[in-house]
Amino acid sequence: MRGFLAGFAGAAVIALIVGYVVVGEDFAQQQIAQQISAPTIEEARAQAATHPEMKLAAAPSVALPFPVAIKAKFDLTDHNGRDVTEASFAGKSMAIFFGYANCEAICSVALPRLGEALELMGDKADNVAALMITVDPQRDTVEAMGPALAKWHPKLVGLTGSDQALADARNAFQVTSEKIFDDPEGNPVYAHGGFIYFVGEDGEVRTIMPPILGPERMAELMTSYM
């Protein structure tokens, strides 16, 4: 079972690298261009083709504006049973990932790396709300999410809600989700957005971080946009 999902995780990472994400290849490539030293999409592709080992490792000299206007908006319930909206985190930045707590594919890469990045940020992490909005509300109940996420990092907060509330949250971030099959144990496996959205204190998305970034780079990016 773990071998099966590990293979699926590898395929998911490869798909993410080549731009198979819900926001589209050109948009993903534009963000990749932002995260490395190449100033254009074309140069980013050329660098990736010529130097695959450098995968998004270099830092931009300045924090660049996000090219698409996306504003955080949600009305959900956290894993402690509290009703929360984006306003509940006023005064903080947010790192938001869409996934599910027991996912052993891309989520098992993104969430622990986000947790490691928060550790590297030290006291600055106190000003970041790390949120996972579930795409699997049937299994990600209020009672189940907290313990499942705690294995990745104690600061991770799971959010769930009605089907409509979760759909509204996905729409706000231009994320899609779809059940693609059941695993050999009968559990659903979902295709869903692979980026971590970093949101500023004003509620605007500042940048997106693919989970192929190392925790050091994630920490650097989040700090630069605070």
Side-chain angles (χ1 to χ4, degrees), residues 54-139:
M54 66 181 289
K55 290 187 179 72
L56 314 184
S61 57
V62 295
L64 302 178
F66 197 64
V68 177
I70 300 178
K71 194 169 182 69
K73 186 173 180 59
F74 53 84
D75 187 353
L76 299 168
T77 302
D78 72 12
H79 69 233
N80 295 306
R82 296 175 296 203
D83 294 334
V84 296
T85 71
E86 68 283 354
S88 303
F89 305 99
K92 288 190 174 185
S93 300
M94 292 180 280
I96 300 176
F97 181 75
F98 288 80
Y100 50 112
N102 291 300
C103 169
E104 295 185 31
I106 198 68
C107 308
S108 67
V109 177
L111 295 176
R113 287 194 177 183
L114 176 57
E116 291 177 47
L118 293 172
E119 288 295 319
L120 292 170
M121 292 174 70
D123 291 343
K124 290 182 183 291
D126 293 338
N127 294 319
V128 178
L131 311 175
M132 188 209 71
I133 299 178
T134 187
V135 300
D136 184 7
Q138 281 69 44
R139 286 188 296 170

Coordinates of all heavy atoms in Angstrom, one line a residue, residues 54-139:
M54 N 19.0 22.7 -10.6 CA 18.9 24.0 -9.8 C 17.4 24.2 -9.4 O 17.1 25.2 -8.8 CB 19.4 25.1 -10.7 CG 18.6 25.4 -11.9 SD 19.3 26.8 -12.9 CE 18.8 28.2 -11.8
K55 N 16.5 23.3 -9.8 CA 15.1 23.4 -9.5 C 14.7 24.5 -8.4 O 14.6 24.2 -7.2 CB 14.6 22.1 -9.0 CG 14.5 21.0 -10.0 CD 13.8 19.8 -9.5 CE 13.7 18.7 -10.5 NZ 15.0 18.0 -10.8
L56 N 14.5 25.7 -8.9 CA 13.9 26.7 -8.0 C 14.7 27.0 -6.8 O 14.2 27.6 -5.8 CB 12.5 26.3 -7.6 CG 11.5 25.8 -8.6 CD1 10.2 25.6 -8.0 CD2 11.4 26.7 -9.8
A57 N 16.0 26.8 -6.9 CA 16.8 26.9 -5.6 C 17.2 28.4 -5.4 O 17.4 28.8 -4.2 CB 18.1 26.1 -5.7
A58 N 17.4 29.2 -6.4 CA 17.9 30.5 -6.3 C 16.9 31.5 -5.9 O 15.7 31.4 -6.3 CB 18.6 31.0 -7.6
A59 N 17.2 32.5 -5.1 CA 16.2 33.4 -4.6 C 16.1 34.6 -5.5 O 17.1 35.0 -6.1 CB 16.6 33.9 -3.2
P60 N 14.9 35.2 -5.7 CA 14.8 36.4 -6.4 C 15.4 37.5 -5.6 O 15.4 37.5 -4.3 CB 13.3 36.6 -6.6 CG 12.7 35.9 -5.5 CD 13.6 34.7 -5.2
S61 N 15.9 38.6 -6.2 CA 16.5 39.7 -5.5 C 15.5 40.5 -4.7 O 15.8 41.1 -3.7 CB 17.3 40.6 -6.4 OG 16.5 41.1 -7.4
V62 N 14.3 40.5 -5.2 CA 13.2 41.3 -4.5 C 12.0 40.4 -4.5 O 11.8 39.5 -5.4 CB 12.9 42.6 -5.2 CG1 14.1 43.5 -5.0 CG2 12.6 42.5 -6.6
A63 N 11.0 40.7 -3.6 CA 9.7 40.1 -3.6 C 8.9 40.7 -4.7 O 8.6 41.8 -4.7 CB 9.0 40.2 -2.3
L64 N 8.5 39.8 -5.7 CA 7.8 40.3 -6.8 C 6.3 40.3 -6.6 O 5.8 39.4 -5.9 CB 8.1 39.5 -8.1 CG 9.6 39.5 -8.4 CD1 9.9 38.6 -9.6 CD2 10.1 40.9 -8.7
P65 N 5.5 41.1 -7.3 CA 4.0 41.1 -7.1 C 3.4 39.9 -7.8 O 3.9 39.4 -8.8 CB 3.6 42.4 -7.8 CG 4.7 42.7 -8.8 CD 5.9 42.2 -8.1
F66 N 2.4 39.3 -7.2 CA 1.7 38.2 -7.8 C 0.9 38.6 -9.0 O 0.3 39.6 -9.0 CB 0.8 37.6 -6.7 CG 0.3 36.2 -7.0 CD1 1.2 35.2 -7.0 CD2 -1.0 35.9 -7.3 CE1 0.8 33.8 -7.3 CE2 -1.4 34.6 -7.6 CZ -0.5 33.6 -7.6
P67 N 1.0 37.9 -10.1 CA 0.5 38.4 -11.4 C -1.0 38.2 -11.5 O -1.6 38.8 -12.4 CB 1.2 37.5 -12.4 CG 1.5 36.2 -11.7 CD 1.8 36.6 -10.3
V68 N -1.7 37.5 -10.6 CA -3.1 37.3 -10.7 C -3.7 37.7 -9.3 O -3.2 37.3 -8.3 CB -3.5 35.8 -11.0 CG1 -5.0 35.6 -11.0 CG2 -2.9 35.4 -12.3
A69 N -4.8 38.5 -9.4 CA -5.5 38.9 -8.2 C -6.3 37.8 -7.5 O -7.3 37.4 -8.1 CB -6.3 40.2 -8.4
I70 N -5.8 37.3 -6.4 CA -6.5 36.3 -5.7 C -6.6 36.7 -4.2 O -5.5 37.1 -3.6 CB -5.8 34.9 -5.7 CG1 -5.7 34.4 -7.2 CG2 -6.6 33.9 -4.9 CD1 -5.0 33.1 -7.3
K71 N -7.8 36.8 -3.7 CA -7.9 37.3 -2.3 C -8.5 36.1 -1.5 O -9.4 35.5 -1.9 CB -8.9 38.5 -2.3 CG -8.8 39.2 -0.9 CD -9.5 40.5 -1.0 CE -9.5 41.3 0.3 NZ -8.1 41.8 0.6
A72 N -7.9 35.9 -0.3 CA -8.4 34.8 0.6 C -9.8 35.1 1.0 O -10.1 36.2 1.5 CB -7.5 34.7 1.8
K73 N -10.6 34.1 0.9 CA -12.0 34.2 1.3 C -12.5 32.8 1.6 O -12.5 31.9 0.8 CB -12.9 34.9 0.3 CG -14.3 35.2 0.8 CD -15.1 36.0 -0.2 CE -16.5 36.2 0.3 NZ -16.6 37.0 1.5
F74 N -13.0 32.6 2.9 CA -13.5 31.3 3.3 C -14.3 31.4 4.5 O -14.1 32.4 5.3 CB -12.4 30.2 3.5 CG -11.3 30.7 4.4 CD1 -11.4 30.5 5.8 CD2 -10.1 31.2 3.9 CE1 -10.4 30.9 6.6 CE2 -9.1 31.6 4.7 CZ -9.2 31.4 6.1
D75 N -15.2 30.5 4.7 CA -16.1 30.5 5.9 C -16.2 29.0 6.3 O -17.1 28.3 5.8 CB -17.4 31.1 5.6 CG -18.3 31.3 6.9 OD1 -17.9 30.8 7.9 OD2 -19.4 31.9 6.8
L76 N -15.3 28.6 7.2 CA -15.2 27.1 7.5 C -15.1 26.9 9.0 O -15.3 27.8 9.8 CB -13.9 26.6 6.8 CG -13.9 26.8 5.2 CD1 -12.5 26.5 4.7 CD2 -14.9 25.9 4.6
T77 N -14.8 25.6 9.3 CA -14.7 25.2 10.7 C -13.3 24.6 10.9 O -12.9 23.8 10.1 CB -15.8 24.2 11.1 OG1 -17.1 24.7 10.8 CG2 -15.7 23.8 12.5
D78 N -12.6 25.0 12.0 CA -11.3 24.5 12.2 C -11.3 23.2 13.0 O -12.4 22.7 13.4 CB -10.3 25.5 12.9 CG -10.6 25.7 14.3 OD1 -11.4 25.0 14.9 OD2 -10.1 26.7 14.9
H79 N -10.2 22.5 13.1 CA -10.2 21.2 13.7 C -10.5 21.2 15.3 O -10.5 20.1 15.9 CB -8.9 20.4 13.4 CG -7.7 20.9 14.0 ND1 -6.6 21.2 13.3 CD2 -7.3 21.2 15.3 CE1 -5.6 21.6 14.1 NE2 -6.1 21.6 15.3
N80 N -10.6 22.4 15.8 CA -11.1 22.5 17.2 C -12.6 22.8 17.3 O -13.1 23.0 18.4 CB -10.3 23.6 17.9 CG -8.8 23.3 18.0 OD1 -8.4 22.3 18.5 ND2 -8.0 24.2 17.5
G81 N -13.2 22.8 16.1 CA -14.7 23.0 16.1 C -15.1 24.5 16.1 O -16.3 24.8 16.2
R82 N -14.1 25.4 15.9 CA -14.5 26.8 15.9 C -14.8 27.3 14.4 O -14.1 26.9 13.5 CB -13.3 27.7 16.4 CG -13.0 27.4 17.9 CD -11.8 28.1 18.4 NE -10.6 27.7 17.7 CZ -9.3 27.8 18.1 NH1 -9.1 28.4 19.3 NH2 -8.3 27.3 17.5
D83 N -15.8 28.1 14.3 CA -16.1 28.7 13.0 C -15.0 29.8 12.7 O -14.8 30.7 13.5 CB -17.5 29.3 13.0 CG -18.6 28.3 13.1 OD1 -18.3 27.1 12.7 OD2 -19.7 28.6 13.6
V84 N -14.4 29.7 11.5 CA -13.4 30.7 11.2 C -13.6 31.2 9.8 O -14.1 30.5 8.9 CB -12.0 30.1 11.3 CG1 -11.7 29.7 12.7 CG2 -11.8 28.9 10.4
T85 N -13.2 32.4 9.5 CA -13.1 33.0 8.2 C -11.7 33.6 8.0 O -10.9 33.5 9.0 CB -14.2 34.2 8.0 OG1 -13.8 35.3 8.8 CG2 -15.6 33.7 8.5
E86 N -11.5 34.2 6.9 CA -10.2 34.8 6.7 C -9.9 35.9 7.7 O -8.8 36.2 8.1 CB -10.0 35.4 5.3 CG -10.9 36.5 4.9 CD -12.4 36.2 4.6 OE1 -12.7 35.0 4.6 OE2 -13.2 37.1 4.4
A87 N -11.0 36.5 8.2 CA -10.9 37.6 9.2 C -10.4 37.1 10.5 O -9.9 37.9 11.3 CB -12.2 38.4 9.3
S88 N -10.6 35.8 10.8 CA -10.1 35.2 12.0 C -8.6 35.3 12.2 O -8.1 35.2 13.3 CB -10.6 33.8 12.2 OG -12.0 33.7 12.0
F89 N -7.9 35.5 11.1 CA -6.5 35.5 11.1 C -5.9 36.9 10.8 O -4.8 37.0 10.3 CB -5.9 34.4 10.1 CG -6.5 33.1 10.4 CD1 -7.5 32.6 9.7 CD2 -5.9 32.3 11.4 CE1 -8.0 31.3 9.9 CE2 -6.4 31.0 11.7 CZ -7.5 30.5 10.9
A90 N -6.7 37.9 11.0 CA -6.3 39.3 10.8 C -5.0 39.6 11.5 O -4.9 39.2 12.7 CB -7.4 40.2 11.2
G91 N -4.2 40.3 10.9 CA -2.9 40.6 11.5 C -1.8 39.6 11.2 O -0.7 39.8 11.7
K92 N -2.2 38.5 10.6 CA -1.2 37.4 10.3 C -1.2 37.2 8.8 O -2.1 37.4 8.1 CB -1.6 36.1 11.0 CG -1.3 36.2 12.5 CD -1.5 34.8 13.1 CE -1.2 34.7 14.6 NZ -1.2 33.4 15.1
S93 N 0.0 36.7 8.4 CA 0.0 36.1 7.0 C -0.6 34.7 7.1 O -0.7 34.1 8.2 CB 1.4 36.0 6.5 OG 2.0 37.3 6.4
M94 N -0.9 34.1 6.0 CA -1.4 32.7 6.0 C -0.7 31.9 4.9 O -0.4 32.4 3.8 CB -2.9 32.7 5.6 CG -3.8 33.3 6.7 SD -5.6 33.3 6.3 CE -5.7 34.7 5.2
A95 N -0.4 30.7 5.2 CA 0.1 29.7 4.3 C -1.0 28.6 4.1 O -1.2 27.9 5.1 CB 1.4 29.1 4.8
I96 N -1.6 28.6 3.0 CA -2.8 27.8 2.8 C -2.5 26.7 1.7 O -2.1 26.9 0.6 CB -4.0 28.6 2.3 CG1 -4.3 29.7 3.4 CG2 -5.2 27.8 2.1 CD1 -5.4 30.7 3.0
F97 N -2.9 25.5 2.1 CA -2.7 24.3 1.2 C -4.1 23.6 1.1 O -4.7 23.4 2.2 CB -1.7 23.4 1.7 CG -1.4 22.2 0.9 CD1 -0.7 22.3 -0.3 CD2 -1.9 20.9 1.2 CE1 -0.5 21.2 -1.1 CE2 -1.7 19.8 0.5 CZ -1.0 19.9 -0.7
F98 N -4.4 23.2 0.0 CA -5.7 22.4 -0.2 C -5.2 20.9 -0.4 O -4.5 20.5 -1.3 CB -6.4 22.8 -1.5 CG -7.1 24.2 -1.3 CD1 -6.3 25.3 -1.5 CD2 -8.4 24.3 -1.0 CE1 -6.9 26.6 -1.3 CE2 -9.0 25.5 -0.9 CZ -8.3 26.7 -1.0
G99 N -5.7 20.1 0.5 CA -5.4 18.7 0.5 C -6.2 17.9 1.5 O -7.3 18.3 1.8
Y100 N -5.7 16.8 2.0 CA -6.4 16.0 3.0 C -5.4 15.4 4.0 O -4.3 15.0 3.6 CB -7.4 15.0 2.4 CG -6.9 14.1 1.3 CD1 -6.8 12.7 1.6 CD2 -6.6 14.6 0.0 CE1 -6.4 11.9 0.6 CE2 -6.2 13.7 -1.0 CZ -6.1 12.4 -0.7 OH -5.7 11.5 -1.7
A101 N -5.8 15.3 5.2 CA -4.9 15.0 6.3 C -4.2 13.6 6.2 O -3.1 13.5 6.6 CB -5.6 15.1 7.6
N102 N -4.9 12.7 5.6 CA -4.4 11.3 5.5 C -3.8 11.0 4.1 O -3.5 9.8 3.9 CB -5.4 10.3 5.9 CG -5.8 10.4 7.4 OD1 -4.9 10.2 8.2 ND2 -7.0 10.7 7.7
C103 N -3.6 12.0 3.3 CA -3.1 11.8 2.0 C -1.6 11.4 2.1 O -0.8 12.0 2.9 CB -3.2 13.1 1.2 SG -2.2 13.2 -0.3
E104 N -1.2 10.4 1.4 CA 0.2 9.9 1.4 C 0.9 10.2 0.1 O 1.9 9.7 -0.2 CB 0.2 8.4 1.7 CG -0.2 8.1 3.1 CD -0.1 6.6 3.4 OE1 0.9 6.0 2.9 OE2 -0.9 6.0 4.2
A105 N 0.2 11.1 -0.7 CA 0.8 11.5 -2.0 C 1.5 12.9 -1.8 O 2.3 13.1 -1.0 CB -0.2 11.4 -3.1
I106 N 1.0 13.9 -2.6 CA 1.6 15.2 -2.6 C 1.5 15.9 -1.3 O 2.4 16.6 -0.9 CB 1.1 16.0 -3.8 CG1 2.0 17.2 -4.1 CG2 -0.3 16.5 -3.5 CD1 3.3 16.8 -4.7
C107 N 0.4 15.6 -0.5 CA 0.3 16.3 0.8 C 1.4 15.9 1.8 O 1.8 16.6 2.6 CB -1.1 15.9 1.4 SG -2.5 16.2 0.4
S108 N 1.8 14.6 1.6 CA 2.9 14.1 2.5 C 4.2 14.7 2.2 O 5.2 14.5 2.9 CB 2.9 12.6 2.5 OG 3.4 12.1 1.2
V109 N 4.3 15.4 1.1 CA 5.5 16.2 0.8 C 5.3 17.7 1.2 O 6.2 18.2 1.9 CB 5.8 16.2 -0.7 CG1 7.0 17.0 -1.1 CG2 6.0 14.7 -1.2
A110 N 4.2 18.3 0.8 CA 4.0 19.7 1.1 C 3.8 20.0 2.5 O 4.5 21.0 3.0 CB 2.7 20.1 0.3
L111 N 3.1 19.2 3.3 CA 2.8 19.6 4.7 C 4.0 19.5 5.6 O 4.3 20.4 6.4 CB 1.6 18.8 5.2 CG 0.3 19.1 4.5 CD1 -0.8 18.1 5.1 CD2 -0.1 20.5 4.7
P112 N 4.8 18.4 5.5 CA 6.0 18.4 6.4 C 7.0 19.4 6.0 O 7.7 20.0 6.8 CB 6.5 17.0 6.2 CG 5.9 16.4 5.0 CD 4.6 17.1 4.9
R113 N 7.1 19.7 4.7 CA 8.1 20.8 4.3 C 7.6 22.1 4.8 O 8.4 23.0 5.2 CB 8.2 20.8 2.7 CG 9.0 19.6 2.2 CD 9.5 19.8 0.8 NE 10.3 18.6 0.4 CZ 10.9 18.5 -0.7 NH1 10.8 19.4 -1.7 NH2 11.7 17.4 -1.0
L114 N 6.3 22.4 4.7 CA 5.8 23.6 5.3 C 6.1 23.7 6.8 O 6.5 24.7 7.3 CB 4.3 23.7 5.1 CG 3.6 24.9 5.7 CD1 4.2 26.3 5.2 CD2 2.1 24.9 5.4
G115 N 5.9 22.6 7.5 CA 6.2 22.5 8.9 C 7.7 22.8 9.2 O 8.1 23.6 10.1
E116 N 8.6 22.2 8.4 CA 10.0 22.5 8.6 C 10.4 23.9 8.3 O 11.2 24.5 9.0 CB 10.8 21.6 7.6 CG 10.8 20.1 8.0 CD 11.6 19.2 7.0 OE1 12.7 19.6 6.6 OE2 11.0 18.2 6.5
A117 N 9.7 24.5 7.3 CA 9.9 25.9 7.0 C 9.5 26.8 8.1 O 10.2 27.8 8.5 CB 9.2 26.3 5.7
L118 N 8.4 26.5 8.8 CA 8.0 27.3 9.9 C 9.0 27.2 11.1 O 9.3 28.2 11.7 CB 6.6 26.8 10.4 CG 5.5 27.0 9.5 CD1 4.2 26.3 10.0 CD2 5.2 28.5 9.3
E119 N 9.6 26.0 11.3 CA 10.6 25.9 12.3 C 11.8 26.8 12.0 O 12.4 27.4 12.9 CB 11.1 24.4 12.4 CG 10.1 23.5 13.0 CD 9.8 23.9 14.5 OE1 10.8 24.2 15.2 OE2 8.6 23.9 14.9
L120 N 12.2 26.8 10.7 CA 13.4 27.6 10.3 C 13.1 29.1 10.4 O 14.1 29.9 10.6 CB 13.7 27.3 8.8 CG 14.3 25.9 8.6 CD1 14.4 25.6 7.1 CD2 15.7 25.7 9.2
M121 N 11.8 29.5 10.4 CA 11.5 30.9 10.5 C 11.6 31.5 11.9 O 11.6 32.7 12.2 CB 10.1 31.2 10.0 CG 10.0 31.0 8.5 SD 8.3 31.1 7.9 CE 8.0 32.9 8.1
G122 N 11.7 30.6 12.9 CA 11.8 31.0 14.3 C 10.6 31.8 14.7 O 9.5 31.4 14.5
D123 N 10.8 33.0 15.4 CA 9.7 33.8 16.0 C 8.8 34.3 14.9 O 7.6 34.6 15.1 CB 10.3 34.9 16.8 CG 10.9 34.4 18.1 OD1 10.7 33.3 18.5 OD2 11.7 35.2 18.7
K124 N 9.3 34.5 13.7 CA 8.5 35.0 12.6 C 7.3 34.1 12.3 O 6.3 34.5 11.8 CB 9.4 35.2 11.3 CG 10.4 36.4 11.4 CD 11.1 36.5 10.1 CE 12.2 37.6 10.2 NZ 11.6 39.0 10.3
A125 N 7.5 32.8 12.6 CA 6.4 31.8 12.3 C 5.2 32.1 13.1 O 4.1 31.7 12.8 CB 6.9 30.4 12.5
D126 N 5.4 32.9 14.2 CA 4.2 33.2 15.1 C 3.2 34.1 14.3 O 2.1 34.2 14.7 CB 4.7 33.9 16.4 CG 5.5 33.0 17.3 OD1 5.3 31.7 17.1 OD2 6.2 33.5 18.1
N127 N 3.7 34.7 13.3 CA 2.9 35.6 12.5 C 2.3 35.0 11.2 O 1.9 35.7 10.3 CB 3.6 36.9 12.2 CG 3.9 37.7 13.4 OD1 3.1 37.9 14.3 ND2 5.1 38.3 13.4
V128 N 2.4 33.6 11.2 CA 1.9 32.9 10.0 C 0.9 31.8 10.5 O 1.2 31.0 11.3 CB 3.1 32.2 9.3 CG1 2.5 31.4 8.1 CG2 4.1 33.2 8.8
A129 N -0.3 31.9 9.9 CA -1.3 30.8 10.2 C -1.1 29.8 9.1 O -1.3 30.1 7.9 CB -2.7 31.4 10.2
A130 N -0.8 28.6 9.5 CA -0.6 27.5 8.5 C -1.8 26.7 8.4 O -2.2 26.0 9.4 CB 0.6 26.6 8.9
L131 N -2.5 26.7 7.3 CA -3.9 26.1 7.2 C -3.9 25.1 6.1 O -3.4 25.3 5.0 CB -4.9 27.2 6.9 CG -4.9 28.5 7.7 CD1 -5.8 29.5 7.2 CD2 -5.1 28.1 9.2
M132 N -4.6 24.0 6.4 CA -4.9 23.0 5.3 C -6.4 23.0 5.2 O -7.2 22.6 6.1 CB -4.4 21.6 5.6 CG -4.6 20.6 4.5 SD -4.8 18.9 5.0 CE -6.5 18.9 5.7
I133 N -6.9 23.3 4.0 CA -8.4 23.3 3.7 C -8.6 21.9 3.0 O -8.0 21.6 2.0 CB -8.8 24.4 2.8 CG1 -8.5 25.8 3.5 CG2 -10.3 24.3 2.4 CD1 -8.9 27.0 2.6
T134 N -9.5 21.1 3.6 CA -9.6 19.7 3.1 C -10.4 19.7 1.8 O -11.3 20.5 1.5 CB -10.4 18.9 4.2 OG1 -10.4 17.5 3.7 CG2 -11.8 19.3 4.4
V135 N -10.0 18.6 1.0 CA -10.8 18.3 -0.1 C -11.5 17.0 0.1 O -12.1 16.4 -0.8 CB -9.9 18.2 -1.4 CG1 -9.2 19.5 -1.7 CG2 -8.8 17.1 -1.2
D136 N -11.4 16.4 1.3 CA -12.0 15.1 1.7 C -12.8 15.3 3.0 O -12.4 14.7 4.0 CB -10.9 14.1 1.8 CG -11.4 12.7 2.1 OD1 -12.7 12.5 2.0 OD2 -10.6 11.8 2.3
P137 N -13.9 16.0 3.0 CA -14.6 16.3 4.3 C -15.2 15.1 4.9 O -15.4 15.1 6.1 CB -15.6 17.3 3.8 CG -15.9 17.1 2.4 CD -14.5 16.7 1.8
Q138 N -15.4 14.0 4.1 CA -16.0 12.8 4.7 C -15.0 12.2 5.7 O -15.4 11.7 6.8 CB -16.4 11.8 3.6 CG -17.7 12.1 2.9 CD -17.6 13.4 2.0 OE1 -16.6 13.5 1.3 NE2 -18.6 14.2 2.1
R139 N -13.8 12.2 5.4 CA -12.8 11.6 6.3 C -12.1 12.7 7.2 O -11.8 12.4 8.3 CB -11.7 10.8 5.5 CG -12.2 9.5 5.0 CD -11.0 8.7 4.4 NE -10.4 9.4 3.2 CZ -9.3 9.0 2.7 NH1 -8.6 8.0 3.1 NH2 -8.8 9.6 1.6

